[in-house]
Amino acid sequence: MDEMELSIAARWRKAFDLSPHGLAGFGLSALIVLVASAAAFPFREMTEPENLTMVYVLAVVFVALRLGLAPAILASVVSVGAFNFLFTPPYYSFSALNSASYITFGIMLVASLLAAVLTSGLSARLAEAAVAQNQTRLLLDLSRDLSRARSFEEVEAALTRLLEPRYGASLRLEAGHDLPLAPQWTGKRWLQPLLAQERALAVLALDFADVQRASGAEQLELETVATLAAGALSRIIEADHASHAVAEQETERLRNVLLSSLSHDLRTPLTVLSGTVASLLRMRRRLPREAVDEVVELQQQITRLQKFTGNLLKMAAISAGQLKLNAEPYALTEILGAALQRMADIRERRQLRTAISGEIPMVVVDGALIEQVFSNLIENAISHTRENGVILISLERAAGKVRASVSDDGPGLSPGDEDVVFERFRTGTAGLSDRKGPGSHGLGLAICRGIVEAHGGRIDARNNPDGKGACFSFTLPLPKEGEDA
Amino acid sequence: MILIIEDEVQVRRLLRRSLEALGHAVSEAEDARSGRQAILHLRPDVILLDLGLPDEDGQDLIRSIREWCEIPIIVLSARDQETEKVQALESGADDYLTKPFSPIELSARIKVALRHAARTGTTGEPVYEVEGLTVDLAARRVTLDGADVHLTPIEFKLLSTMIRHRGKVLTHNQLIRDVWGRHAPDGNQGLRIHTQHIREKLGDDPLSPRFIFTEPGIGYRFAAGGGEA
């Protein structure tokens, strides 16, 4: 476990250590040579000196194994000196009797240097292998923990658990905007971005006790860690999106079911009510006069209720953002024509006039919805005018769009009402409150705005320039060249 | 005899009252299964079908009825979704009524459906006459209040398709398929433009039409011609 306690940088620094502790290594290596000399000394007279060189090579190997290359080189040189001094005649002198001894010294030096280099290389590789194994272990543990992580916090916890003891730094995972895209120091803090598709998902921040230099190996390791964590994070983000989408679909399905069953449950009794009242009215001749008046009043209220129910359901659909446009090319005149046809019953006692200026190009719209905009605006105008009031509907072409306006000769809008009339459940304060017709429940105009804006158009209200009555107008964008039909 | 296939008992009762007041014999079925049996045994002249039946999707029922008989189907839809009506029409329904409907609307739709039913099986009339407009299919001649109207071949084909089905709504797709076949070069846009040209030549103002009525989101309906029954 000592590998866990030493950082990789410390491990690398140890190999080339020239600190007082490192210098002790050189002293120690000299001491080991001295011990080897003492061990060999009793055998000086029993055997040929060449046989004793092995004791020194053994010492050098030991030094190389335990203390590293530099002390081992020193040990080699000291060994040759000691061997010469102690074991070759003449004793206690650095000179030699015959030239064969010099060959022995040479071979001994080469052999012990070779042993030193090979041994220290071996031990360095062993150390490297330990580091690599340790790193592989770390990355394995990390990827296992990350694959189990289901949230940002769990990713952070996995990183903290494995990296804090390894680096001796406190770790935080930070998300947000303007994250750095390259690893960097800020003060005593190392920032390692977690990148996915060249975007930083989060930043791994390591707070060290003091400023350090990260070695290449450490940087590489942190980069690998960051890649693993980024993979885990983007998987979590995607899963999050997917479950959101599923939830949204489910909500929309529920909303649809709710709306259509509401629609059915509200409309069926209304249909039966209005049908029953209609058949009652067919036998009006057999009913007392007062009863006929009551039935007529009943019929008016049912019509109101039907209108209101229709608007409420349409508004619910618009608010739920589920207005699906079934867009097709139309001449606006035919849609207006259809709206006027359908209003034949209620337009009585108002004068409806139309003004078409020039050629009106085709628009690509949802015909049924735009018909409803016309109907609602005309109904609104009817409810704000007196008998024989004039309602003028005009169509004209403007730059890149078509404008439709419905203006009346009623009391007009109070100052400040221009914007609020399109809000839900608002009616113009200057409305003829005692003459409210079926359209004056404050939803009709909000529906108009919802529909027009869904088509990319705009709707506004103002008073006529001559100060008589209000004018509601909306625009619809014309299809761009080449994309019509 | 008119068969009502509808699950809501109150709506069935209302329809029965309204239809009997108009002098029709009425029979009722409360779901698709009993509706099928009633069609087999009673051979009604017109079927009034609610799209929201409990035991089967209304669209499927229309398609399956159309596989073996041509009895006119008028769809009752509680929902104001145009796509549903278009789908029903293209599945083989002849017309639709949106709840709430007025008794006048109901009787007008029934009248048109009965007239079409009566004509099925005969070789078809060579000459149609509606509100001063005569279309002679064999002679390819169109006159309006006695004066000749010159139409292009496509316009003639479009007008004769509409007038053959007069009083009945035809969806955009049905018209395009009938006039241009499978490969319509400019689809909807072409249909709109040719319809506009016919309207101009017939002096038909789209703001208060005499012949061609736009049903936004659905299609066109040619005037039924009130005189006939």
Side-chain angles (χ1 to χ4, degrees):
Chain A
M1 283 314 279
D2 60 341
E3 293 94 344
M4 285 299 281
E5 285 149 26
L6 294 167
S7 83
I8 296 163
R11 186 173 289 285
W12 281 98
R13 276 195 291 275
K14 194 185 145 200
F16 305 100
D17 203 351
L18 290 175
S19 64
H21 174 76
L23 287 177
F26 291 102
L28 201 60
S29 83
L31 192 68
I32 288 167
V33 175
L34 204 68
V35 170
S37 304
F41 196 75
F43 304 98
R44 185 166 71 169
E45 302 304 331
M46 292 181 207
T47 179
E48 290 300 309
E50 286 78 10
N51 293 335
L52 297 174
T53 57
M54 284 300 128
V55 178
Y56 285 100
V57 174
L58 207 62
V60 169
V61 167
F62 182 75
V63 170
L65 209 55
R66 300 309 302 243
L67 302 173
L69 183 59
I73 292 169
L74 179 76
S76 306
V77 174
V78 172
S79 295
V80 173
F83 180 69
N84 181 8
F85 193 74
L86 294 174
F87 295 98
T88 57
Y91 299 141
Y92 313 115
S93 140
F94 288 113
S95 59
L97 276 185
N98 50 42
S99 54
S101 297
Y102 290 104
I103 295 172
T104 307
F105 299 153
I107 290 171
M108 184 183 165
L109 186 64
V110 170
S112 58
L113 280 177
L114 209 62
V117 169
L118 287 177
T119 310
S120 72
L122 187 69
S123 85
R125 269 194 292 280
L126 273 173
E128 274 171 32
V131 169
Q133 192 194 8
N134 171 255
Q135 193 177 49
T136 309
R137 182 65 186 271
L138 166 85
L139 296 177
L140 252 166
D141 286 351
L142 189 62
S143 64
R144 186 200 55 219
D145 289 3
L146 286 176
S147 72
R148 289 182 191 148
R150 291 283 169 271
S151 68
F152 187 87
E153 289 70 28
E154 285 177 28
V155 169
E156 186 177 37
L159 290 168
T160 306
R161 192 167 55 249
L162 289 165
L163 297 183
E164 276 194 347
R166 188 174 175 85
Y167 294 114
S170 75
L171 182 148
R172 274 179 54 79
L173 197 56
E174 292 173 355
H177 299 289
D178 302 323
L179 300 173
L181 288 173
Q184 55 191 263
W185 281 106
T186 48
K188 294 175 184 173
R189 163 174 269 211
W190 175 255
L191 296 176
Q192 181 77 41
L194 311 190
L195 300 175
Q197 274 128 35
E198 295 178 12
R199 217 166 51 83
L201 300 176
V203 155
L204 184 66
L206 286 167
D207 285 306
F208 288 93
D210 55 332
V211 180
Q212 303 201 359
R213 285 180 58 92
S215 70
E218 273 178 309
Q219 288 188 10
L220 206 64
E221 180 178 292
L222 274 170
E223 215 167 282
T224 313
V225 166
T227 308
L228 280 175
L233 270 189
S234 49
R235 174 179 54 75
I236 288 165
I237 291 169
E238 265 168 44
D240 215 39
H241 280 319
S243 69
H244 264 288
V246 167
E248 231 160 71
Q249 258 177 14
E250 185 54 20
T251 322
E252 193 183 316
R253 198 189 62 79
L254 270 175
R255 218 187 263 139
N256 273 327
V257 169
L258 195 70
L259 268 182
S260 81
S261 79
L262 206 70
S263 161
H264 179 259
D265 292 352
L266 283 172
R267 280 185 175 146
T268 301
L270 282 173
T271 301
V272 176
L273 266 179
S274 72
T276 310
V277 166
S279 32
L280 258 180
L281 280 178
R282 266 203 303 275
M283 36 182 135
R284 64 166 70 206
R285 267 185 236 119
R286 280 181 279 154
L287 293 175
R289 212 189 128 58
E290 300 79 32
V292 172
D293 289 347
E294 296 290 340
V295 174
V296 168
E297 175 63 21
L298 195 59
Q299 189 180 36
Q300 280 170 356
Q301 294 307 316
I302 290 169
T303 310
R304 257 184 90 172
L305 202 54
Q306 281 178 337
K307 205 99 223 169
F308 181 66
T309 309
N311 274 340
L312 203 62
L313 292 168
K314 184 70 89 186
M315 195 67 233
I318 292 173
S319 319
Q322 54 164 199
L323 201 60
K324 292 206 175 62
L325 296 187
N326 178 20
E328 288 172 348
Y330 278 99
L332 218 44
T333 45
E334 38 179 354
I335 299 179
L336 175 56
L340 290 174
Q341 292 289 313
R342 217 160 291 208
M343 307 205 56
D345 313 338
I346 59 165
R347 74 202 240 185
E348 53 182 339
R349 305 200 299 272
R350 302 289 188 281
Q351 300 177 51
L352 287 192
R353 294 179 188 161
T354 52
I356 315 292
S357 345
E359 185 85 1
I360 308 296
M362 281 201 188
V363 285
V364 179
V365 296
D366 186 308
L369 291 178
I370 296 299
E371 183 194 334
Q372 177 143 34
V373 173
F374 276 123
S375 305
N376 288 5
L377 289 181
I378 294 168
E379 270 172 26
N380 179 64
I382 288 174
S383 70
H384 289 93
T385 48
R386 294 172 194 281
E387 265 181 44
N388 289 314
V390 176
I391 296 166
L392 178 70
I393 306 144
S394 51
L395 300 179
E396 60 180 346
R397 182 182 185 156
K401 57 194 173 195
V402 174
R403 182 191 308 280
S405 311
V406 177
S407 81
D408 61 54
D409 61 355
L413 299 158
S414 308
D417 267 0
E418 290 87 345
D419 297 318
V420 297
V421 284
F422 294 108
E423 285 166 23
R424 270 176 250 179
F425 300 109
R426 290 296 279 266
T427 50
T429 45
L432 304 177
S433 53
D434 55 332
R435 286 183 167 270
K436 275 185 184 173
S440 60
H441 36 68
L443 273 179
L445 293 176
I447 290 170
C448 290
R449 183 169 71 176
I451 293 173
V452 169
E453 287 179 355
H455 281 83
R458 291 185 55 78
I459 188 164
D460 58 61
R462 57 188 147 46
N463 282 323
N464 285 318
D466 59 4
K468 280 192 195 150
C471 176
F472 290 80
S473 66
F474 65 94
T475 59
L476 291 170
L478 287 175
K480 292 182 188 74
E481 286 299 321
E483 68 170 64
D484 41 12
Chain B
M1 201 263 290
I2 295 165
L3 174 65
I4 303 165
I5 309 178
E6 154 76 74
D7 59 323
E8 299 275 344
V9 61
Q10 301 96 326
V11 178
R12 281 207 306 273
R13 231 184 283 146
L14 166 70
L15 283 169
R16 175 184 279 277
R17 274 201 309 271
S18 307
L19 291 168
E20 282 175 348
L22 292 168
H24 296 289
V26 176
S27 185
E28 296 173 24
E30 58 178 9
D31 53 26
R33 196 186 49 80
S34 54
R36 273 210 188 79
Q37 282 178 345
I39 296 171
L40 267 175
H41 294 124
L42 307 171
R43 286 268 152 194
D45 303 303
V46 176
I47 300 165
L48 285 178
L49 171 68
D50 183 79
L51 278 183
L53 290 176
D55 60 337
E56 195 177 329
D57 180 60
Q59 310 282 358
D60 292 341
L61 181 59
I62 296 171
R63 273 190 291 272
S64 76
I65 293 173
R66 273 292 163 267
E67 278 168 20
W68 52 277
C69 83
E70 287 297 319
I71 300 169
I73 301 172
I74 299 174
V75 162
L76 301 170
S77 168
R79 288 158 259 189
D80 60 347
Q81 279 168 354
E82 267 61 29
T83 44
E84 193 179 79
K85 294 174 199 159
V86 169
Q87 207 189 336
L89 290 168
E90 289 175 358
S91 298
D94 291 75
D95 218 326
Y96 66 87
L97 264 175
T98 306
K99 294 181 197 168
F101 44 83
S102 70
I104 303 155
E105 247 184 312
L106 174 67
S107 94
R109 298 281 180 275
I110 299 264
K111 215 190 261 180
V112 169
L114 284 173
R115 193 180 56 202
H116 280 278
R119 217 171 32 237
T120 321
T122 66
T123 46
E125 307 147 62
V127 181
Y128 287 89
E129 189 164 358
V130 177
E131 309 227 343
L133 178 77
T134 54
V135 177
D136 187 331
L137 291 183
R140 296 192 151 261
R141 186 156 174 256
V142 178
T143 60
L144 178 65
D145 302 324
D148 273 335
V149 178
H150 297 286
L151 297 179
T152 66
I154 286 280
E155 288 163 8
F156 182 80
K157 210 167 167 190
L158 184 54
L159 178 65
S160 49
T161 302
M162 286 183 181
I163 208 166
R164 259 204 324 274
H165 299 278
R166 65 188 186 279
K168 239 179 80 169
V169 67
L170 292 171
T171 68
H172 299 141
N173 284 339
Q174 286 174 329
L175 282 167
I176 291 169
R177 219 177 22 240
D178 256 39
V179 175
W180 282 274
R182 234 168 240 294
H183 302 288
D186 5 81
N188 252 326
Q189 180 93 352
L191 175 64
R192 294 278 156 202
I193 288 168
H194 289 291
T195 309
Q196 219 169 356
H197 289 164
I198 297 174
R199 273 177 165 156
E200 280 162 19
K201 289 179 182 179
L202 299 182
D204 200 23
D205 180 4
L207 287 176
S208 57
R210 184 172 157 203
F211 301 115
I212 301 174
F213 292 80
T214 302
E215 301 265 350
I218 301 196
Y220 288 111
R221 187 194 295 274
F222 202 88
E228 291 178 74

